[in-house]
Amino acid sequence: MIQRITNFIERVSGQRGNRVRIVGASEPLVRARLVTLPAAGVLVGADSSCDVRLEDPAVSRKHATIVPVDQGFEVCDLGSRNGTWLDGTRITRVIAPAGATLGIGNSLVQLLPEEDSLDITPSNATSFGDLSGSSEPMRRVFAILERASQSSAPILLLGESGTGKELAARALHESSPRRGGPFVVFDCGAASTTLIESELFGHKKGAFTGAHRDHAGAFAAAHGGTLFLDEIGDLPLALQPKLLRLLERSEVTPLGARAAERYDVRFVAATHRDLWSDVGAGNFRGDLYYRLAVVEVHLPALRQRKDDIPVLVRALLRANGSSDADIEGPQLERLLRYAWPGNVRELRNVVARAVALAVPGAKFRDMPILLRSEGSPREPAVLADVPYLEAKEALLTRFDRDYCTDLLHRSGSNLSEAARMAKIERKYLYRVLERAGLRHRDSQGDE
């Protein structure tokens, strides 16, 4: 099984081993169940005698069996009325790869491999490429990036908008043996839905109306170097199998071509989305997720590393041609109190605006610092001064932080009790707390 290297240890109560994640037909994703698979496997169905019981009218009494094997999971349909489905195909017996999601009735069953987490000692460095920070969360990120840069393993960068995922990808390339090759950025969320396949995989002349000449595509352009797939969570589901084949075989067939072409490309992908949720909901292929997340790196939000703000402010002042001396004082205190929903990107814009509006030669303490939460009371709660997806992400982040703060207060910081009160799984609560910057040791001694 692929070992995922993460920059934090996520402790899960219960036995380690292969598991299935159950999303019931009428259940929201946050109520998904995790079931550990014994070596003999499990029987799935609606009958009370089944190892995994699904209260779903579309599920047969004894619907299917799932058995862990060396190649993944052996799934056998037991003659069910509505069938067992994998990637849109009804199956009778199949060896499904780790990460795949089965359709059983109206329910989803995600196949999860045995997972280990590796705790890596923080780096002594305070920067990696253009990423800067001396806080422990960032030095942990640097430690992973330093090691991963020397391999060709695919890397998945996760984090909120504005945390520096593209900077991390560029730094990985520049620190790798491929630094002499191209670094190609492809934004999966910005590409036209009608042309994205051509832009990614290329096409031959005459492949479609308007294809007047051959087009190489992003993969060919990145040959010998690194391809950065930004916002990979927005890649259309129909194209994900083709990307998976390229990752597994290093070859792809351009539109209109008869033969596959081979490429030597190192993949770095990034997203601000929760791909676990997307896999469980059937919007992202689980096998593609695991293939991309050989090394998974979580970039912390700025509110989780506020100790880095003085260092970042000095660097941004220098970048904007201003003095970085004498930044201590009320202005810096305001920045340290602010929640930074837009992360480092928002800090960069705040400093750039302050330098642009300041009188020539002004010191930082005399610069006009404008923060969104300190505007006029008549301003709307959500401003349109950033892209829609970024504003939405910031609003959801604030919701997570406010909800979890009150939840921890009401539960006495007992995470088991907090999960029961919120009616979500404890593991999912860990993820929400991590995202909100509130992860801590609970009153029962568990982390």
Side-chain angles (χ1 to χ4, degrees):
M1 298 299 176
I2 295 173
Q3 182 185 56
R4 294 195 301 142
I5 303 176
T6 60
N7 69 320
F8 62 91
I9 296 294
E10 185 172 12
R11 303 188 189 279
V12 183
S13 59
Q15 180 184 359
R16 287 177 57 244
N18 294 291
R19 296 162 295 155
V20 291
R21 187 184 196 201
I22 312 296
V23 184
S26 60
E27 295 176 333
L29 183 64
V30 294
R31 291 177 59 194
R33 290 178 285 150
L34 278 174
V35 178
T36 299
L37 292 181
V42 293
L43 172 64
V44 181
D47 193 84
S48 60
S49 64
C50 291
D51 304 304
V52 178
R53 186 185 180 196
L54 297 178
E55 296 181 358
D56 179 344
V59 171
S60 297
R61 291 180 62 251
K62 295 184 178 180
H63 198 108
T65 59
I66 304 173
V67 180
V69 295
D70 290 341
Q71 300 85 359
F73 299 82
E74 182 182 51
V75 182
C76 293
D77 184 83
L78 301 178
S80 64
R81 181 176 68 256
N82 294 313
T84 301
W85 299 78
L86 176 65
D87 296 335
T89 302
R90 186 167 181 165
I91 60 100
T92 301
R93 178 184 179 277
V94 72
I95 301 297
T101 299
L102 305 173
I104 296 182
N106 294 320
S107 301
L108 296 174
V109 177
Q110 184 185 3
L111 307 176
L112 306 177
E114 182 175 356
E115 179 179 292
D116 289 329
S117 291
L118 179 63
D119 194 16
I120 294 182
T121 303
S123 171
N124 292 324
T126 57
S127 65
F128 184 78
D130 288 334
L131 292 173
S132 298
S134 58
S135 62
E136 182 174 327
M138 283 306 290
R139 290 189 295 113
R140 286 186 179 274
V141 168
F142 297 158
I144 298 173
L145 296 179
E146 288 165 359
R147 296 190 190 187
S149 65
Q150 301 308 305
S151 77
S152 292
I155 295 179
L156 179 62
L157 302 171
L158 301 176
E160 298 174 11
S161 296
T163 50
K165 296 187 289 294
E166 183 171 345
L167 292 179
R170 289 185 181 275
L172 278 164
H173 174 72
E174 293 299 329
S175 299
S176 76
R178 295 172 175 265
R179 66 179 67 88
F183 177 79
V184 177
V185 179
F186 186 85
D187 190 336
C188 299
S192 166
T193 54
T194 57
L195 295 176
I196 186 171
E197 185 171 6
S198 169
E199 294 299 316
L200 268 175
F201 307 118
H203 66 253
K204 295 297 183 181
K205 179 181 178 180
F208 52 85
T209 302
H212 300 302
R213 60 179 180 273
D214 290 354
H215 175 68
F219 290 109
H223 181 65
T226 302
L227 177 61
F228 175 48
L229 296 168
D230 199 10
E231 295 305 338
I232 188 66
D234 294 332
L235 184 70
L237 193 60
L239 295 184
Q240 292 177 21
K242 200 166 185 177
L243 176 57
L244 180 62
R245 285 196 297 273
L246 181 59
L247 282 161
E248 292 179 338
R249 304 176 188 172
S250 298
E251 62 182 31
V252 70
T253 304
L255 288 173
R258 295 184 178 180
E261 298 178 0
R262 297 188 63 83
Y263 302 115
D264 175 22
V265 176
R266 200 270 177 85
F267 295 93
V268 179
T271 182
H272 71 283
R273 300 167 63 121
D274 184 352
L275 285 190
W276 271 107
S277 297
D278 287 345
V279 169
N283 297 323
F284 198 85
R285 288 178 61 109
D287 46 5
L288 177 57
Y289 169 82
Y290 276 103
R291 196 64 184 84
L292 289 168
V294 174
V295 179
E296 185 175 295
V297 183
H298 295 249
L299 293 173
L302 185 55
R303 66 180 174 278
Q304 295 171 300
R305 55 179 191 111
K306 286 192 173 183
D307 290 348
D308 289 335
I309 287 179
V311 175
L312 293 170
V313 168
R314 288 190 171 92
L316 292 168
L317 286 170
R318 291 194 299 270
N320 284 277
S322 184
S323 171
D324 63 347
D326 301 324
I327 69 167
E328 302 294 334
Q331 293 284 59
L332 181 61
E333 292 301 318
R334 287 177 59 203
L335 300 186
L336 292 171
R337 289 194 302 269
Y338 186 56
W340 297 109
N343 293 296
V344 179
R345 182 186 294 128
E346 184 180 6
L347 176 62
R348 180 189 65 201
N349 293 341
V350 165
V351 173
R353 180 167 56 234
V355 173
L357 298 178
V359 298
K363 296 183 181 298
F364 179 71
R365 62 174 176 266
D366 298 320
M367 291 181 181
I369 302 295
L370 304 177
L371 301 175
R372 280 189 284 175
S373 65
E374 299 177 345
S376 165
R378 295 188 177 184
E379 287 183 347
V382 179
L383 301 180
D385 58 344
V386 295
Y388 169 78
L389 290 177
E390 186 176 329
K392 180 180 178 181
E393 181 73 17
L395 183 63
L396 292 175
T397 297
R398 289 197 296 274
F399 168 80
D400 281 347
R401 186 170 58 252
D402 293 345
Y403 181 90
C404 289
T405 298
D406 188 53
L407 181 65
L408 291 173
H409 174 73
R410 291 170 184 263
S411 65
S413 294
N414 183 318
L415 298 190
S416 296
E417 177 63 21
R420 284 191 290 270
M421 292 172 63
K423 291 183 170 56
I424 61 177
E425 287 192 3
R426 182 167 169 153
K427 180 181 178 182
Y428 187 83
L429 177 60
Y430 284 142
R431 295 175 66 85
V432 175
L433 291 172
E434 178 77 26
R435 193 165 58 234
L438 297 172
R439 190 168 180 269
H440 70 298
R441 187 175 298 276
D442 73 7
S443 63
Q444 302 302 305
D446 295 329
E447 191 175 32

